[in-house]
């Protein structure tokens, strides 16, 4: 390390103090600098991540950019009065999550962030849910840089160039200190977005790229410290499973002292540590201790603007110390002893400037929910007492919609789809179909996912789910399969082949040696409704695209739905048998 890269030896000190999770009610300086000190510089990092379209408060009055601005302004005022300065950062994923935002290409979110005065953001994987032209538009709206050092352009022949798509870093002066902030985006991005949206881009490994960027900074800048602003995920003790390595491994990949802090996103968890793991009992208003890996502080503020992270630092004699760290809840509610939702901390007043600026977009978003996107000549059956005991036309439409979308946007061709009936919350009446109708059917915001398995694995999986009843009763299509509901009752040692007799999947003859791909929602993949947990499978992909948004696209591409085309009597569904009798499902 040279003096040009880091002035002196910046030793990242042990956490000196932890404050409560509410903003201070007094004028006590939070930076920890002694009054009148000429050599101590205080500054504060304010951060959020994974906004996912939440520019407006939810129906319970939680979070939203208006209340967020009130808190940010309070922090800025307090820090400035104590002689410090602030910088406001985002860990990315501004796009995708709320229909009012999705249908307006996150324009209100980027306008809101500019009003709040963000200084920089990491580029998240969901920034690529739309074509690059949309992302370019968002970058033009944003009055702050989007940072991503590890995203390179390809030329017309598909060769990787040396030109990055975004700024790799930017140096900010914060209270007289020169702070280099490097952006990184998860290398998993091409796996979880439509390949067409990133076909002209190449994502390098951040652990390799950071060495390149540090060399660039050393050659061209004079800085006091280096922070990383990332959208890679925090995984306790570096245990990232099937996800790409995240912030912990980035910190461990460097010589200690080269990276002072990582402000992150992507895993959407409050990084509040207890020992080597997370504080599982963390609640809004509790104290939060950030992670420290290889001398690097790692911070993340959950998701959706539920919290504003506040990190108060002091820099003195070449040493950086984190004096206090808070996660400030933004009008989050908890249940009281009566089961009523109440504010976890004192209610935060919404900033009127933000309300006035974004009300127009919220109103438009509400109107867009009622825009007709398709029509149906008959009822699409999703009533609870029907869909949980038999295959229905809506169940088939959902499996088709998700399977077709995966096939169109990802490499594997989906052979069949699985949809838990408990996730189908309403029917759609004959006539016009709006996005609001879609949201009544799929209100939970689960993600569409898919997995490729061997025939042996698929046989075992289907033998498990095909017997489920209630909310777990599966909607399955297309396949030629007999389900023997009483196989286990007759023989407790029944094998998967005894339970399901599979002839074909998606029109392909079934055999145990072949591979098959099926779509489902991540709720089921994670074990919801007692489904087998498959999120750890090597070929499992969570597309991180909501089921409702995918279903909306399907309706838009099919403006005239004929229910006869989705009737279970058309075939392509499993035949359920109990003894010699054909039954609707394994429900008794």
């Amino acid at each position: 390390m040279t003096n040009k890269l880091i002035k002196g030896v910046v030793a990242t000190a042990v956490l000196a103090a932890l404050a409560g999770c509410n903003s201070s009610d007094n004028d006590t300086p939070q930076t920890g600098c002694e009054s009148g000190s000429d050599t101590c510089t205080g500054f504060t990092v304010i951060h959020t991540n994974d906004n996912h379209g939440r520019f407006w408060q939810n129906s319970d009055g939680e979070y939203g950019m208006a209340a967020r601005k009130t808190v940010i302004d309070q922090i800025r005022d307090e820090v400035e009065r104590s002689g410090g300065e602030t910088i406001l950062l985002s860990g990315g994923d501004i796009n995708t999550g709320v229909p009012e935002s999705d249908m307006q290409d996150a324009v209100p979110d980027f306008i809101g962030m500019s009003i709040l005065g963000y200084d920089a953001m990491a580029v998240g994987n969901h920034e690529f849910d739309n074509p690059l032209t949309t992302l370019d538009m968002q970058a033009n709206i944003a009055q702050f840089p989007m940072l991503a050092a590890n995203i390179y352009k390809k030329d017309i022949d598909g060769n990787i160039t040396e030109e990055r798509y975004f700024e790799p870093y930017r140096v900010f002066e914060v209270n007289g200190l020169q702070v280099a902030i490097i952006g990184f985006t998860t290398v998993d991005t091409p796996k979880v977005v439509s390949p067409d949206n990133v076909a002209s881009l190449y994502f390098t490994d951040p652990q390799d790229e950071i060495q390149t960027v540090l060399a660039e900074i050393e050659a061209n800048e004079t800085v006091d410290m280096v922070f990383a602003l990332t959208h890679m995920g925090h995984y306790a003790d570096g245990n990232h499973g099937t996800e790409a390595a995240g912030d912990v491994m980035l910190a461990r990949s460097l010589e200690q002292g080269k990276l002072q802090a990582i402000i992150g996103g992507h895993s959407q968890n409050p990084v509040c540590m207890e020992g080597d793991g997370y504080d599982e009992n963390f609640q809004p208003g509790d104290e939060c201790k950030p992670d420290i890996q290889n001398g690097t502080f790692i911070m993340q503020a959950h998701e959706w603007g539920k919290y504003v992270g506040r990190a108060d630092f002091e820099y003195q004699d070449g040493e950086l110390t984190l004096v206090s760290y808070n996660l400030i809840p933004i009008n989050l509610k908890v249940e009281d002893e009566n089961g009523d939702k109440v504010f976890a901390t004192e209610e935060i007043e919404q900033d009127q400037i933000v309300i006035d600026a974004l009300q127009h977009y919220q109103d438009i978003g509400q109107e867009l929910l009622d825009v007709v996107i398709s029509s149906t000549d008959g009822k699409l059956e999703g009533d609870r007492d029907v869909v949980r005991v038999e295959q229905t036309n809506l169940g088939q439409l959902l499996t088709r919609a998700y399977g077709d979308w995966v096939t169109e946007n990802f490499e594997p061709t989906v052979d069949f789809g699985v949809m838990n009936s408990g996730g189908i919350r309403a029917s759609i009446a004959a006539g016009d179909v709006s996005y609001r109708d879609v949201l009544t059917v799929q209100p939970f915001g689960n993600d569409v996912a898919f997995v490729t398995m061997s025939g042996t694995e698929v046989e075992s999986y289907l033998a498990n789910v095909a017997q489920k009843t209630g909310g777990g009763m599966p909607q399955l299509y297309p396949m030629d399969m007999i389900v023997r509901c009483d196989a286990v009752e007759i023989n407790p040692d029944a094998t998967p082949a005894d339970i399901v007799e599979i002839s074909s999947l998606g029109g392909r003859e079934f055999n145990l040696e072949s591979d098959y791909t099926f779509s489902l929602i991540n709720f089921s993949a994670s074990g919801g409704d007692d489904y087998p947990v498959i999120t750890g499978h090597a070929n499992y992909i969570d597309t991180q695209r909501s089921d409702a948004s995918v279903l909306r696209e399907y309706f838009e591409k099919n403006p005239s739905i004929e229910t006869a085309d989705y009737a279970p009597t058309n075939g392509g569904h499993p035949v359920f048998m109990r003894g010699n009798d054909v039954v609707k499902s394994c429900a008794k």
Side-chain angles (χ1 to χ4, degrees):
M1 185 184 304
T2 68
N3 288 340
K4 192 171 185 182
L5 177 58
I6 302 293
K7 293 178 183 174
V9 178
V10 180
T12 309
V14 176
L15 188 63
L18 283 170
C21 290
N22 295 314
S23 54
S24 175
D25 294 326
N26 55 49
D27 295 336
T28 303
Q30 295 298 302
T31 61
C33 291
E34 295 181 4
S35 178
S37 172
D38 293 329
T39 61
C40 181
T41 303
F43 69 98
T44 296
V45 175
I46 309 170
H47 66 99
T48 61
N49 55 276
D50 294 272
N51 181 72
H52 287 297
R54 269 75 176 185
F55 69 90
W56 203 255
Q57 65 179 359
N58 71 2
S59 58
D60 289 324
E62 296 178 298
Y63 40 90
M65 287 187 168
R68 191 192 309 177
K69 185 175 189 298
T70 298
V71 169
I72 290 170
D73 286 349
Q74 289 173 347
I75 296 172
R76 284 172 172 152
D77 180 66
E78 179 187 323
V79 171
E80 288 173 6
R81 284 187 286 110
S82 64
E85 287 188 4
T86 62
I87 185 169
L88 176 58
L89 305 173
S90 167
D93 265 10
I94 310 307
N95 287 271
T96 308
V98 174
E100 291 89 338
S101 172
D102 295 348
M103 292 184 292
Q104 300 179 79
D105 291 331
V107 166
D109 303 87
F110 283 97
I111 289 175
M113 290 178 70
S114 297
I115 294 172
L116 270 60
Y118 276 79
D119 292 291
M121 66 167 273
V123 177
N125 57 286
H126 278 287
E127 270 61 88
F128 300 95
D129 285 346
N130 301 302
L132 290 181
T133 52
T134 301
L135 180 52
D136 292 342
M137 175 273 292
Q138 294 170 343
N140 287 330
I141 292 175
Q143 297 176 18
F144 49 85
M146 296 181 176
L147 304 178
N150 64 315
I151 303 177
Y152 285 82
K153 295 181 180 180
K154 294 179 183 177
D155 63 22
I156 194 170
D157 296 320
N159 301 309
I160 303 165
T161 71
E162 295 182 358
E163 183 181 1
R164 295 184 177 97
Y165 200 84
F166 301 94
E167 286 185 61
Y169 69 89
R170 184 171 287 193
V171 177
F172 294 88
E173 182 174 321
V174 187
N175 210 13
L177 297 171
Q178 300 300 309
V179 183
I181 298 183
I182 309 171
F184 290 108
T185 304
T186 175
V187 74
D188 272 349
T189 299
K191 291 168 49 180
V192 297
V193 302
S194 171
D196 289 344
N197 293 347
V198 294
S200 62
L201 303 175
Y202 180 75
F203 293 72
T204 64
D205 187 335
Q207 292 185 44
D208 297 329
E209 194 64 39
I210 194 169
Q211 301 289 354
T212 300
V213 183
L214 288 174
E216 292 173 8
I217 295 172
E218 183 173 356
N220 298 292
E221 312 285 352
T222 300
V223 301
D224 295 296
M225 65 196 76
V226 179
F227 283 15
L229 182 59
T230 71
H231 191 83
M232 295 164 46
H234 180 276
Y235 309 104
D237 200 28
N239 297 317
H240 54 91
T242 59
E243 303 285 342
D247 295 336
V248 170
M249 300 309 293
L250 181 69
R252 291 177 178 177
S253 71
L254 294 168
E255 178 185 337
Q256 187 166 339
K258 287 208 170 187
L259 184 64
Q260 280 60 60
I262 298 174
I263 310 299
H266 186 53
S267 51
Q268 298 181 221
N269 53 331
V271 177
C272 301
M273 308 303 293
E274 185 174 337
D276 293 331
Y278 297 117
D279 180 357
E280 300 295 341
N281 297 315
F282 176 78
Q283 295 294 322
D286 289 352
E287 292 186 350
C288 177
K289 180 180 178 181
D291 201 3
I292 305 175
Q293 294 287 333
N294 196 28
T296 300
F297 295 110
I298 305 177
M299 303 165 180
Q300 187 176 158
H302 203 187
E303 63 184 2
W304 304 356
K306 291 178 178 178
Y307 297 91
V308 165
R310 173 179 177 171
D312 294 303
F313 291 99
E314 67 173 12
Y315 180 80
Q316 187 170 19
D317 299 328
E319 183 175 293
L320 181 69
T321 302
L322 178 60
V323 178
S324 66
Y325 183 68
N326 312 314
L327 283 186
I328 303 167
I330 306 301
N331 285 341
L332 296 186
K333 289 185 174 179
V334 296
E335 288 190 1
D336 64 12
E337 61 274 9
N338 299 318
D340 298 323
K341 286 188 174 182
V342 297
F343 288 109
T345 54
E346 185 177 349
E347 182 178 2
I348 299 164
E349 183 178 353
Q350 297 189 76
D351 182 90
Q352 193 59 46
I353 293 176
V354 177
I355 291 291
D356 292 343
L358 300 184
Q359 182 73 60
H360 168 69
Y361 295 98
Q362 177 67 7
D363 293 343
I364 291 177
Q366 287 294 309
E367 293 173 4
L368 289 173
L369 290 179
D370 292 318
V371 171
V372 173
I373 58 175
S374 185
S375 65
T376 173
D377 66 354
K379 179 181 181 181
L380 292 170
E381 184 61 71
D383 289 1
R384 179 189 178 99
D385 58 350
V386 179
V387 77
R388 296 190 178 204
V389 296
E390 63 183 82
Q391 304 292 298
T392 74
N393 53 15
L394 182 54
Q396 182 191 120
L397 188 147
L398 288 167
T399 58
R400 277 202 211 182
Y402 301 150
D404 288 356
W405 183 80
V406 170
T407 298
E408 291 168 5
N409 290 280
F410 296 87
E411 292 182 2
T413 297
V414 170
D415 295 293
F416 66 98
V418 179
M419 179 68 206
N420 65 308
S421 294
I424 304 173
R425 307 304 290 185
S427 295
I428 296 178
D432 291 338
V433 178
S434 70
Y435 195 7
R436 199 179 296 277
D437 294 320
V438 168
L439 292 171
T440 64
V441 173
Q442 301 278 253
F444 300 121
N446 293 306
D447 295 340
V448 174
F450 64 94
V451 65
T452 300
M453 291 182 173
S454 69
T456 301
E457 291 175 307
V458 166
E459 182 183 65
S460 178
Y461 184 87
L462 288 175
N464 183 306
V465 303
Q467 301 177 86
K468 296 194 180 303
T469 60
M473 207 285 289
Q475 299 288 322
L476 299 164
Y477 181 86
M479 58 180 57
D480 183 1
M481 177 177 74
I482 296 174
V483 182
R484 303 193 184 281
C485 297
D486 54 358
V488 177
E489 298 171 17
I490 296 171
N491 176 17
D493 297 322
T495 67
D498 296 325
I499 300 169
V500 292
E501 182 181 321
I502 307 171
S503 300
S504 67
L505 295 172
R508 295 172 55 204
E509 183 178 355
F510 180 76
N511 68 75
L512 298 176
E513 288 73 38
S514 296
D515 288 339
Y516 300 89
T517 299
F518 63 94
S519 60
L520 72 170
I521 60 173
N522 63 347
F523 169 81
S524 302
S526 301
D529 279 334
D530 198 32
Y531 274 42
V533 177
I534 60 171
T535 52
H537 194 284
N539 297 326
Y540 172 77
I541 297 292
D542 183 331
T543 70
Q544 299 181 22
R545 189 69 177 268
S546 74
D547 46 13
S549 66
V550 172
L551 182 56
R552 182 194 74 190
E553 286 187 24
Y554 186 82
F555 276 119
E556 289 173 339
K557 291 179 179 179
N558 296 273
S560 298
I561 298 293
E562 296 184 12
T563 52
D565 293 340
Y566 300 87
T569 53
N570 288 343
H573 291 85
V575 174
F576 295 88
M577 300 195 67
R578 188 173 295 280
N580 295 321
D581 298 326
V582 175
V583 293
K584 293 180 178 179
S585 68
C586 287
K588 292 184 178 180

